[in-house]
Amino acid sequence: MQTSSSIDGNVSCCADWQRVHHLREQYDAIAVGGRTWNIDHPRLTARAERLGREPKRQPVRVIFAGSQPCAIQPAAVQTFVIGNGAPFQGCGHASDLVSLPMQGHDLRQPLQALYGHGIRSLLVEGGRTLLHSFFRQGFADVVTVFVRTSSVERAVHLAREELGFTLEDLRVSPFGEGFLLEAGHAHACGLAQGLEQAS
């Protein structure tokens, strides 16, 4: 899981943008919640201007829409819309959009469906409700948070405030114009291992 925070309104910096886009090209898919999708209109792509080179690959997009209607713009990659019957307006080809059901807030069914579509790793970028669901249900292997501040104590405080929960085994290191906070460990098995552990 991945999120960013700051105390001055400038959420990220050049070094962190490069880190995020490097992460994006390593995952099969990037997920956001419906509210984040509707408010921020994220592209959810690895971009050459951030990497300083052409991306090695592009992740597919996953939108956990819940009951929120979402407008889906066409993209060069497949988009999965996960929800409990919320309408979505697709502007791409039918084969580019896949609708998957979800009952309540239980992530198991949609994650198994994504696994069935060949998705083995998932980068969750937000928002807060979706991040909490992944963490509470045991589907988060690694949490990384970049905080743009000059104080390590402030970085830890803001990360806890942003996430709404305390991270165990927290590692903090100076990074770019702030601090990178990390907890957990990546597993080679990715989504399959998460599904097995949470059963």
Side-chain angles (χ1 to χ4, degrees), residues 9 96 98 127 129 178:
D96 296 339
V98 178
T129 301

Side-chain angles (χ1 to χ4, degrees), residues 150-184:
S150 58
S151 163
V152 65
E153 293 82 8
R154 186 78 172 135
V156 172
H157 171 76
L158 283 170
R160 288 179 175 157
E161 189 175 87
E162 174 74 14
L163 293 173
F165 49 78
T166 302
L167 301 172
E168 295 180 13
D169 303 322
L170 186 64
R171 300 176 301 281
V172 182
S173 56
F175 186 83
E177 297 174 25
F179 293 90
L180 185 64
L181 295 81
E182 300 175 278

Side-chain angles (χ1 to χ4, degrees), residues 56-198:
K56 295 174 184 173
R57 67 172 180 166
Q58 289 294 347
V60 302
R61 306 183 302 181
V62 178
I63 305 161
F64 283 84
S67 58
Q68 297 197 40
C70 293
I72 313 299
Q73 301 301 319
V77 296
Q78 198 167 36
T79 302
F80 293 88
V81 180
I82 298 169
N84 51 18
F88 67 89
Q89 302 165 347
C91 302
H93 300 294
S95 62
D96 296 339
L97 296 173
V98 178
S99 179
L100 299 174
M102 181 173 180
Q103 300 299 320
H105 296 285
D106 186 3
L107 294 170
R108 175 166 300 285
Q109 180 185 7
L111 292 180
Q112 287 174 335
L114 289 172
Y115 189 82
H117 281 275
I119 294 174
R120 301 295 183 260
S121 59
L122 183 65
L123 176 63
V124 181
E125 290 198 354
R128 180 182 279 193
T129 301
L130 186 61
L131 292 170
H132 286 191
S133 293
F134 270 81
F135 195 80
R136 280 193 314 266
Q137 295 179 42
F139 290 111
D141 294 324
V142 178
V143 179
T144 65
V145 183
F146 172 77
V147 184
R148 190 172 180 174
T149 179
S150 58
S151 163
V152 65
E153 293 82 8
R154 186 78 172 135
V156 172
H157 171 76
L158 283 170
R160 288 179 175 157
E161 189 175 87
E162 174 74 14
L163 293 173
F165 49 78
T166 302
L167 301 172
E168 295 180 13
D169 303 322
L170 186 64
R171 300 176 301 281
V172 182
S173 56
F175 186 83
E177 297 174 25
F179 293 90
L180 185 64
L181 295 81
E182 300 175 278
H185 301 282
H187 300 291
C189 296
L191 200 53
Q193 181 167 337
L195 287 167
E196 183 179 308
Q197 288 176 345

Side-chain angles (χ1 to χ4, degrees), residues 38-59:
N38 288 330
I39 292 173
D40 296 341
H41 308 290
R43 286 187 269 176
L44 305 182
T45 57
R47 297 198 287 281
E49 65 268 23
R50 297 294 188 186
L51 290 167
R53 57 170 171 74
E54 286 301 314
K56 295 174 184 173
R57 67 172 180 166
Q58 289 294 347

